[in-house]
Amino acid sequence: MTYKLPLLLALLGATAVHAADADTIYIGGTILTVNDKAPTAEALAVKNGKIVAVGTRKAVHAAEHGPKTVIVDLKGRTLIPGFVDAHGHISGVGMQAVSANLLPPPDGPVHSIADIQRIMRDFIATSPMVKSTGFAIGFDYDDSQLAEKRAPTRQELDAVSTEIPIMVIHQSGHLGAFNSKAIAMAGITADTPNPSGGVIQREADGRTPNGVFEESGLALIAYKIMPKTTPTQAMAMIDAAQNIYMANGYTTVQDGKTDAAAMAMLTGAAKAGKLKVDIVSYADLVTLKDDPILRGPWMSRNYTDHFRIGGVKLTFDGSPQGKTAWFTQPYFVVPAGQKPDYAGYPAFPKPGEAQGWVDMAFKNNWQLLVHANGDAAIDQLITTVRSAEQQFPGKDRRTILVHGQYLRADQIPELKKLEIFPALFPMHTFYWGDWHRTSVAGPQRAEFISPTGAVLAEGMMFSIHHDAPVTFPNSMRVFDSAVNRTTRTNYVLGPAQRISPAVALKAMTLWPAWQHFEADRKGSIEVGKDADLVILSANPLTVPPATIKDIKIDATIKAGTSVYTRPGVN
């Protein structure tokens, strides 16, 4: 009996779009498809950057193997879809890559303010960027992990240099510390008032800036003094950032809250053919407002040279670990100098201000991402989106709640009703879980941070992310944090909010692809989708959960092309 090809494939156990002589066939390992209809496969074939067959080894080989086909033996390893970055800032990672590393362990060497001073002195002495710009930047100090449990003061940074302006950014990205030279360059004095939605921390006299600037206060000084980068420097930063993401298995990367300078850098890289992964930008609505770029061809559901603008972003509050997030209840331990009822503050304190920005996004049918960490900020998100939906109904905008650290249980049904998609941040359980319990919110409230389990129980999709450069875009640490929720001291923070490895894999692939309106072409291993793939050293669904963080990214493939191979791996 003779069968036509489609029937033959069905009998053999494969699905395919016939394209004989596939470029590549993957065999010899576990293939996790993230497709509920066929969760695993023995083989897949790729041609012209697309998946053309998935199924049994015999069927895929029969249908797709040709004289030029390259056979890749996985050697027992695991193949998964490429990770989709649910929220991060690749432009910030580029800046981080050329700045001093002030992270605490396990990602950096800093334990104290003395360490910050030592590292910044060494950086000023050796950095080509400092030499070319006359400006020194350090990234990601974390007062919760410093011996002093506070930020460095301007005097402590003056001890590093009084000649070169110094800016060190808190790991949250919502605060920063500056030396006296930088403060003077910005024209900020004791008479400079706090900006709306921000704070300039003061010395004992209540007037003199102590060097620490919060939220819009950080923007007030940073935008005035940040050095401009040359096109060559900008390309080098994007290159360095892409390499970091590809080494962590990301094939689609987000740039959240892209300002004008970063937008120029990213579009320039795209036009120059420098992008190797897809980058989706969400423009900073407050600074770009009605900029023509938001109505041009870059604002699209489709990529041009690996870049597109997916929508816009707003920030409703600050950082819980930096104690600027906006809560309905006071902080467990209020910051020095604050009243006992201190509960953070909104980014838009003026009546109707937040609503105006949300209305602008909805009126233009721009997908909207809103950073909201504290439950008061999430209340504001729910209220403003509800009002905007009533005024501008009928569109699938997929509004995104970014972070949602202190999302309350009673707010989850409201998100579902308004179709607000939660992009959650369980990485906090490791990096700041102990700090949340002992200082930010106390032991009871901290158990419910980033409540992935409760959101899943409500029948909702969600994504999980790293928010790089807040943390490194370490995909397996993201995975681990959602599955295990262990803190630095190995305390399990909110065991009821843990999710299974299979759900965590979806929350890093298919569900963020849906979040970005890209699930029709990304996020799972199915015929017709982009061949965005990652080879892992082990299967995250079967290894002991505590070892997930130790799994290595052996290779990353973007649209069928290898863009990263782990050194020493064949």
Side-chain angles (χ1 to χ4, degrees), residues 87-89 93 96 103 107 140 171-172 244-245 321 425 427-428 430-432 465-474 477-478 488:
H87 184 66
H89 312 266
V93 174
Q96 182 188 47
L103 284 162
D107 301 317
D140 290 344
Q171 193 169 358
S172 69
I244 292 169
Y245 278 93
Q321 71 270 33
F425 196 5
M427 284 272 270
H428 263 247
F430 173 74
Y431 282 98
W432 297 285
H465 61 263
H466 46 68
D467 198 25
V470 172
T471 68
F472 279 135
N474 183 333
R477 178 71 75 178
V478 176
R488 291 176 186 268

Side-chain angles (χ1 to χ4, degrees), residues 104-126:
D107 301 317
V110 172
H111 297 271
S112 66
I113 290 173
D115 287 340
I116 292 175
Q117 292 172 318
R118 173 181 52 79
I119 289 167
M120 292 307 299
R121 286 191 191 100
D122 292 345
F123 182 69
I124 289 170
T126 60

Side-chain angles (χ1 to χ4, degrees), residues 508-525:
M508 296 178 68
T509 54
L510 186 59
W511 290 351
W514 187 92
Q515 169 188 327
H516 289 140
F517 290 92
E518 298 181 19
D520 61 330
R521 58 192 188 274
K522 293 179 181 176
S524 61
I525 295 174

Side-chain angles (χ1 to χ4, degrees), residues 541-555:
L541 307 193
T542 58
V543 299
T547 67
I548 287 173
K549 65 182 183 299
D550 302 319
I551 293 174
K552 307 300 182 186
I553 307 297
D554 279 358

Side-chain angles (χ1 to χ4, degrees), residues 189-192 200-210:
T189 69
D191 295 325
T192 304
I200 301 172
Q201 291 188 13
R202 313 283 175 165
E203 295 182 354
D205 62 6
R207 298 183 65 248
T208 305
N210 73 357

Side-chain angles (χ1 to χ4, degrees), residues 54-400:
V54 183
T56 66
R57 179 171 177 168
K58 182 178 180 181
V60 171
H61 189 276
E64 303 300 333
H65 186 267
K68 296 182 179 180
T69 302
V70 175
I71 303 295
V72 176
D73 185 355
L74 295 172
K75 300 178 181 178
R77 296 170 298 175
T78 298
L79 187 69
I80 64 170
F83 291 123
V84 177
D85 180 15
H87 184 66
H89 312 266
I90 189 172
S91 56
V93 174
M95 179 61 73
Q96 182 188 47
V98 296
S99 302
N101 178 7
L102 303 182
L103 284 162
D107 301 317
V110 172
H111 297 271
S112 66
I113 290 173
D115 287 340
I116 292 175
Q117 292 172 318
R118 173 181 52 79
I119 289 167
M120 292 307 299
R121 286 191 191 100
D122 292 345
F123 182 69
I124 289 170
T126 60
S127 167
M129 186 66 76
V130 175
K131 185 176 181 179
S132 64
T133 64
F135 195 97
I137 303 174
F139 252 89
D140 290 344
Y141 79 87
D142 181 1
D143 56 321
S144 77
Q145 299 303 310
L146 295 177
E148 297 85 354
K149 293 292 186 288
R150 61 172 176 80
T153 65
R154 65 181 177 88
Q155 291 92 344
E156 287 165 331
L157 295 178
D158 288 348
V160 176
S161 177
T162 56
E163 300 299 319
I164 291 177
I166 297 174
M167 173 176 74
V168 297
I169 301 298
H170 187 269
Q171 193 169 358
S172 69
H174 288 257
L175 304 90
F178 299 78
N179 68 347
S180 297
K181 177 75 171 181
I183 295 169
M185 280 180 61
I188 292 170
T189 69
D191 295 325
T192 304
N194 287 342
S196 177
V199 170
I200 301 172
Q201 291 188 13
R202 313 283 175 165
E203 295 182 354
D205 62 6
R207 298 183 65 248
T208 305
N210 73 357
V212 179
F213 292 72
E214 301 176 6
E215 302 300 337
S216 62
L218 174 60
L220 176 73
I221 182 171
Y223 280 122
K224 288 181 179 179
I225 65 174
M226 279 286 287
K228 292 184 179 179
T229 56
T230 66
T232 299
Q233 289 169 336
M235 290 304 106
M237 287 192 293
I238 288 296
D239 235 19
Q242 283 191 103
N243 289 337
I244 292 169
Y245 278 93
M246 292 185 299
N248 283 283
Y250 287 96
T251 51
T252 299
V253 177
Q254 189 184 108
D255 193 65
K257 206 175 181 182
T258 312
D259 63 17
M263 190 68 76
M265 181 170 64
L266 291 169
T267 55
K271 291 175 184 176
K274 298 293 187 180
L275 300 185
K276 301 174 184 177
V277 295
D278 288 342
I279 298 177
V280 55
S281 160
Y282 287 86
D284 181 354
L285 183 56
V286 173
T287 62
L288 289 177
K289 299 182 177 67
D290 207 15
D291 191 290
I293 199 167
L294 300 184
R295 301 186 185 280
W298 291 113
M299 179 69 82
S300 174
R301 297 278 167 81
N302 299 307
Y303 291 90
T304 300
D305 297 320
H306 291 297
F307 182 74
R308 71 181 179 96
I309 302 174
V312 295
K313 186 183 176 188
L314 293 170
T315 296
F316 275 12
D317 73 342
S319 155
Q321 71 270 33
K323 298 189 178 180
T324 59
W326 186 25
F327 291 162
T328 57
Q329 301 176 50
Y331 279 84
F332 193 64
V333 178
V334 302
Q338 294 289 354
K339 296 178 180 178
D341 64 350
Y342 173 79
Y345 49 88
F348 298 119
K350 298 175 183 177
E353 191 177 9
Q355 188 67 62
W357 290 115
V358 173
D359 286 351
M360 182 178 179
F362 272 59
K363 182 179 179 180
N364 286 285
N365 292 317
W366 292 329
Q367 187 185 20
L368 175 64
L369 276 61
V370 177
H371 165 119
N373 265 315
D375 62 328
I378 298 169
D379 280 337
Q380 185 180 52
L381 170 64
I382 290 168
T383 300
T384 53
V385 168
R386 183 185 294 118
S387 176
E389 287 279 10
Q390 291 169 353
Q391 190 174 357
F392 307 102
K395 300 288 185 179
D396 178 11
R397 298 181 181 90
R398 297 190 194 176
T399 300
I400 310 299

